[in-house]
Amino acid sequence: MDIWRIRGGNRLNGACRVQGSKNASLPILAAAILAPKESTLTNVPRLRDIDAALRILRCLGCETDQRGNEVYINASGVTRSVIPHELMLEMRSSVIFMGALLARCGEARLSPPGGCQLGKRPIDLHLKALRRLGAEVVEQGGEIVCRAENLRGTEIVLPFPSVGATENVMLAATAAKGETVLRGAAREPEIVALQDYLNKTGCRVRGAGSGTIYIAERRSADAVRHRVIADRIVAATMACALAAAGGEIELLDVSPRHFSTVLHFLKQAGCDIMCQNRGVRLRSDGKLRAVGEIRTEPYPGFPTDAQPVLTAALLKAKGTTLVRETIFENRFRQVPELRRLGADIRLDGQRAEIRGVERLHGAVLNATDLRGGASMIVAGLSAEGETLVRDEGHIRRGYEALDQRLAELGAEIRLE
Ligand code: EPZ
């Protein structure tokens, strides 16, 4: 059990380099199965989810090595196409190995990822798309078995821009005969990052970020070296921490464009935002105003992953903010915990109404999930007294050394 001990009241000051993106690294680690030669990835964050993905790669027969934020993968020895149940349980987003295994081995066997704290998390769009490519997908006895002697290019239309389904199509279609056109695709920066990596491995993918992605038959390629983009949700978390605590920080090595909707609301709330090419400077007096209505949407809309941390930053904002969650059915689980700090949040299904309070006071909280846990740390920074967040490892799934990063900026925080 991790205990995050925060004493609120300190302002944040200084510069912080934003870690590499978890959600860009994971699909690229799966895509490494397709690389004909070894891959060296840099700026890979040290996280529990990355460790889980590397365990899966080794289980499939890959050789992996990790030194600091550099990861080396040689997939020439891939011999298996089965992901053991216990590894699937560790990380539901392992479902993106399905498309890569289909392309590399012509088959994939894994257990359904199942729901998580955020909701059911179905993968019907993934399976329907893979069948469109000619895969035979059977769900039997609690296992998903996919087979495809030869995948063939086709047109696929996603009814919802699912990030994972987009990634699985991109990975599987690299082995299809003929071109695949994927319409209604997710447009997240992590999708563009996957395209960039795949093209370095000899694939021919274009259009990522536009909503329509074209995947042609691949060519051969040499060894690959690829730098993972910065984590826009970690950047959003640090920005919300600054807004809540007050002070002035600079976030380095991250593109402001990748979290522009978060910056938009922080500016509306009263923060000064100065965007540069590879970073952003933010200033806040800690006295924020409510921002009206926030609605989570697929990229380039406001990201659902930043909703908990922005909500936490607005708990003392003057006025009322309405938050509508449209992506996950269970993304307000952190609300009862935030109320223990004195927050005034009213829930009505997928809507949360935040009425700003004068003060928040420290309390003992239980982390509910990755971003919910981060929201409790953000709120604790602006609460009077000490806040303890009891956490079964959720936060370290997505945040590399968050306690150190915040402490370096002047926060009184310790991970025990
Ligand atoms: C990715 O999850 C991210 N995870 C999530 O981040 C992020 O919240 C999410 O995209 C939305 O941006 C990774 O990249 C590893 P989706 P993913 O498929 O791919 C429904 C974090 O905190 N859906 O876009 O699972 C689904 O139920 C994590 O880092 C179907 O109905 O998201 C959900 O309501 C949390 N059928 C919505 O779409 C499907 O086949 C979004 O899902 C697939 C999805």
Side-chain angles (χ1 to χ4, degrees):
M1 168 79 75
D2 292 336
I3 303 281
W4 302 77
R5 190 180 291 272
I6 304 114
R7 181 163 289 281
N10 291 15
R11 287 184 177 276
L12 303 184
N13 287 289
C16 168
R17 202 186 69 76
V18 176
Q19 73 179 60
S21 164
K22 166 176 86 77
N23 292 350
S25 300
L26 293 173
I28 288 173
L29 287 169
I33 295 175
L34 307 176
K37 302 264 177 41
E38 65 269 16
S39 293
T40 301
L41 306 178
T42 58
N43 201 32
V44 179
R46 300 296 306 242
L47 303 170
R48 298 179 50 195
D49 273 10
I50 299 296
D51 297 342
L54 290 172
R55 268 196 291 284
I56 289 173
L57 285 172
R58 287 193 292 275
C59 168
L60 297 171
C62 295
E63 189 196 321
T64 70
D65 191 11
Q66 186 177 17
R67 290 197 197 94
N69 295 111
E70 187 158 306
V71 168
Y72 165 87
I73 303 127
N74 186 327
S76 53
V78 167
T79 50
R80 301 186 60 201
S81 58
V82 181
I83 300 182
H85 183 62
E86 64 277 8
L87 288 184
M88 278 303 293
L89 284 181
E90 266 195 62
M91 185 180 65
R92 64 167 318 283
S93 38
S94 317
V95 71
I96 41 172
F97 280 87
M98 187 163 51
L101 284 170
L102 259 185
R104 171 69 191 263
C105 312
E107 73 161 0
R109 297 177 69 130
L110 59 158
S111 34
C116 69
Q117 305 88 355
L118 305 181
K120 287 194 313 300
R121 309 295 292 274
I123 58 168
D124 56 310
L125 301 181
H126 299 237
L127 303 184
K128 212 175 286 175
L130 294 177
R131 288 185 175 114
R132 283 280 299 151
L133 281 168
E136 180 206 330
V137 180
V138 176
E139 298 175 76
Q140 66 190 31
E143 207 182 22
I144 300 173
V145 181
C146 306
R147 281 198 191 82
E149 273 61 53
N150 39 37
L151 295 164
R152 56 181 183 283
T154 184
E155 177 166 68
I156 297 170
V157 179
L158 287 179
F160 175 83
S162 156
V163 170
T166 299
E167 290 163 348
N168 256 331
V169 171
M170 289 168 76
L171 292 167
T174 59
K177 290 268 167 296
E179 182 180 61
T180 296
V181 181
L182 176 60
R183 300 189 193 285
R187 299 166 56 187
E188 275 72 0
E190 294 78 34
I191 301 293
V192 178
L194 178 60
Q195 170 180 277
D196 295 347
Y197 171 79
L198 284 172
N199 288 340
K200 287 181 185 175
T201 68
C203 298
R204 289 183 294 154
V205 186
R206 59 190 174 84
S210 74
T212 300
I213 301 176
Y214 303 84
I215 305 113
E217 287 181 49
R218 64 177 309 154
R219 297 197 188 102
S220 66
D222 292 327
V224 173
R225 189 171 177 80
H226 180 83
R227 179 178 172 78
V228 171
I229 59 171
D231 194 308
R232 60 194 171 96
I233 305 301
V234 170
T237 303
M238 300 303 282
C240 289
L242 176 274
E248 178 168 351
I249 64 169
E250 190 172 12
L251 297 177
L252 305 170
D253 277 357
V254 62
S255 165
R257 203 165 36 84
H258 287 174
F259 64 122
S260 57
T261 51
V262 178
L263 295 173
H264 163 80
F265 283 116
L266 290 177
K267 187 168 182 179
Q268 270 199 345
C271 295
D272 294 325
I273 313 276
M274 292 138 274
C275 292
Q276 291 122 17
N277 186 25
R278 294 290 309 145
V280 58
R281 177 181 287 277
L282 305 100
R283 188 170 40 226
S284 161
D285 62 4
K287 295 183 178 56
L288 304 175
R289 49 181 182 266
V291 295
E293 179 166 348
I294 298 167
R295 187 187 161 85
T296 65
E297 291 175 328
Y299 193 91
F302 180 82
T304 175
D305 293 348
Q307 176 264 100
V309 290
L310 180 60
T311 298
L314 295 173
L315 295 177
K316 296 197 298 187
K318 201 167 172 44
T320 301
T321 297
L322 177 64
V323 179
R324 286 180 194 280
E325 173 56 55
T326 71
I327 304 292
F328 289 116
E329 57 265 37
N330 212 5
R331 192 129 225 189
F332 287 124
R333 296 175 73 243
Q334 71 280 0
V335 166
E337 297 298 311
L338 295 176
R339 286 183 182 133
R340 293 171 190 262
L341 299 170
D344 180 356
I345 307 177
R346 302 178 193 192
L347 284 182
D348 169 16
Q350 294 299 84
R351 280 165 34 120
E353 202 172 78
I354 309 158
R355 293 159 189 255
V357 294
E358 278 302 307
R359 302 166 49 207
L360 295 172
H361 50 78
V364 178
L365 310 179
N366 295 301
T368 49
D369 55 70
L370 166 55
R371 308 302 175 186
S375 78
M376 295 171 201
I377 291 178
V378 169
L381 292 173
S382 69
E384 290 165 12
E386 183 172 80
T387 295
L388 290 191
V389 180
R390 298 154 37 92
D391 167 25
E392 287 147 21
H394 295 296
I395 299 170
R396 283 195 294 146
R397 279 190 44 225
Y399 293 88
E400 180 186 70
L402 180 60
D403 53 325
Q404 292 168 37
R405 295 279 193 290
L406 287 169
E408 282 158 9
L409 295 174
E412 196 172 329
I413 179 171
R414 201 172 62 243
L415 171 57
E416 295 168 355

